[in-house]
Amino acid sequence: MRALRFHGPGELRLEDVADPRPSPDTVVISVMACGVCGSDLHFLDGTARTGHVPITLGHEIAGVIDDPASSGLRPGIAVVVTVGASCGSCRRCSEGRPNLCESATVIGIHADGGLADAVSVPVAAVVPIPTGVEPAAAATAVDAGATALHAVTRTAALQPGETVLVIGLGGLGTYAAQIARNLGAARVIAADIDPAALDRAALLGADDCVLVEAGGSLGRSVKMLTDGGVDVALEFVGRAATVDAAVKSIRPGGRAVAVGVGPEPLVTLPPVLWSNFEYTLRGSYGSLPGDTERVLAGLADGSLQSPPLARATLAEAADAILSLSRGESPAMGRLMVIP
Ligand SMILES: [Zn+2]
Ligand SMILES: [Zn+2]
């Protein structure tokens, strides 16, 4: 079969590899769609690392059960694959935080992923796609959707009636704005450098859209809009400047949540302001069991919409992904590879 193999920064090649085989704990899935995530781009630009190389990337997977072997799953059913198999026994897993498992295995980061004709995945990671949800849209639920759900509902612990700022309206931010709206946020403010991303956010229910311009101060704009700052600011970009903007957008006692991944060290407010205003900055990573199912249910009942999707075939994918990692083709929506 064909697989998109990552050999190191900037090196992505479509190659012929052996077909994956099922084992007692795994099942083989024929890939129908696999999303390309910001973390894939960070592997390609050298700011994040996979478990080993070469490896097949891709951790936002939808497909059909191919070889049910011992899994008990019906062949031909459409499923998505949740991100990250936790060990169940380390300290973090025992604390109920399997997203922080000390020895998690993520398909597409530590084991061969879904940018291929087929992939072998743990039986426990498989979640059926509800009727009526398109596979490519369903695939976005496992990472973009579930990560946003965890960040909004648990890390930020958003309450009805609160005001929310979402910075970065890509896949995760688009979900986060909708989840905040559905939870009863009093006001959802979307901020992005891309006017098209803001237009989409407005259609999905953002109350205010702030175009972030070079040299401008997002924090100052948000504080003017909200008479002193939002209750919750969520950052989905992974840049030091945008985390700083999130911190500078919250009211006294407010919470900023950093979800985007990036290598830049953070320089922000002096300690006296953290102390005087009891600001909170928390990181948020991945999701917990059940989150993917909740996002899929939202896609099925229409309360959530997937981010706009751009599509490429497996043959076109290497060029499309490398161009994304070089920042050459922004604003095209979440790239889905359809083998
Ligand atoms: Zn991801
Ligand atoms: Zn663990």
Side-chain angles (χ1 to χ4, degrees):
M1 67 158 191
R2 300 167 306 159
L4 205 55
R5 303 285 283 170
F6 171 65
H7 288 262
E11 287 187 68
L12 198 56
R13 296 199 283 271
L14 188 61
E15 294 172 4
D16 281 318
V17 299
D19 290 347
R21 288 209 303 260
S23 73
D25 302 325
T26 64
V27 62
V28 174
I29 286 172
S30 289
V31 177
M32 289 192 289
C34 183
V36 175
C37 172
S39 47
D40 297 317
L41 305 182
H42 288 302
F43 301 139
L44 283 159
D45 69 20
T47 55
R49 282 167 183 239
T50 53
H52 58 270
V53 285
I55 188 170
T56 305
L57 296 180
H59 55 267
E60 256 190 18
I61 304 166
V64 290
I65 301 283
D66 193 22
D67 184 343
S70 55
S71 69
L73 295 160
R74 230 170 351 107
I77 64 164
V79 297
V80 291
V81 181
T82 57
V83 179
S86 50
C87 75
S89 58
C90 73
R91 207 165 117 193
R92 303 283 170 268
C93 283
S94 314
E95 290 169 354
R97 305 180 85 174
N99 57 324
L100 304 182
C101 173
E102 289 159 19
S103 52
T105 305
V106 181
I107 301 280
I109 297 178
H110 307 106
D112 284 337
L115 291 174
D117 288 314
V119 59
S120 170
V121 304
V123 173
V126 164
V127 177
I129 299 175
T131 314
V133 180
E134 191 217 351
T140 66
V142 302
D143 191 8
T147 301
L149 184 70
H150 173 63
V152 174
T153 60
R154 295 194 198 89
T155 315
L158 181 72
Q159 302 302 310
E162 289 193 311
T163 50
V164 186
L165 168 68
V166 177
I167 303 175
L169 276 294
L172 283 89
T174 302
Y175 270 118
Q178 298 177 80
I179 291 163
R181 180 203 63 199
N182 293 350
L183 275 170
R187 192 166 176 187
V188 179
I189 302 169
D192 203 290
I193 55 171
D194 174 16
L198 292 176
D199 289 345
R200 295 193 300 261
L203 286 176
L204 294 172
D207 300 293
D208 299 276
C209 294
V210 180
L211 184 65
V212 180
E213 291 172 282
S217 167
L218 175 57
R220 203 177 307 133
S221 307
V222 171
K223 284 194 166 162
M224 278 167 61
L225 261 179
T226 53
D227 194 22
V230 289
D231 296 297
V232 168
L234 296 143
E235 195 273 359
F236 294 102
V237 180
R239 302 288 305 267
T242 37
V243 177
D244 180 53
V247 164
K248 289 175 177 164
S249 298
I250 54 178
R251 63 159 173 81
R255 293 99 73 199
V257 174
V259 190
V261 293
E264 298 168 350
L266 182 60
V267 178
T268 184
L269 298 172
V272 59
L273 296 181
W274 291 91
S275 165
N276 282 6
F277 295 113
E278 294 198 344
Y279 293 133
T280 300
L281 172 61
R282 290 188 71 181
S284 191
Y285 182 73
S287 59
L288 296 186
D291 288 345
T292 292
E293 288 85 339
R294 286 168 67 193
V295 175
L296 286 172
L299 291 172
D301 70 19
S303 60
L304 292 176
Q305 286 177 42
S306 82
L309 305 175
R311 290 161 210 265
T313 64
L314 207 41
E316 297 161 343
D319 285 345
I321 295 169
L322 286 168
S323 139
L324 274 180
S325 82
R326 292 190 295 260
E328 291 167 0
S329 41
M332 57 194 285
R334 198 149 184 96
L335 178 61
M336 302 302 300
V337 177
I338 314 289

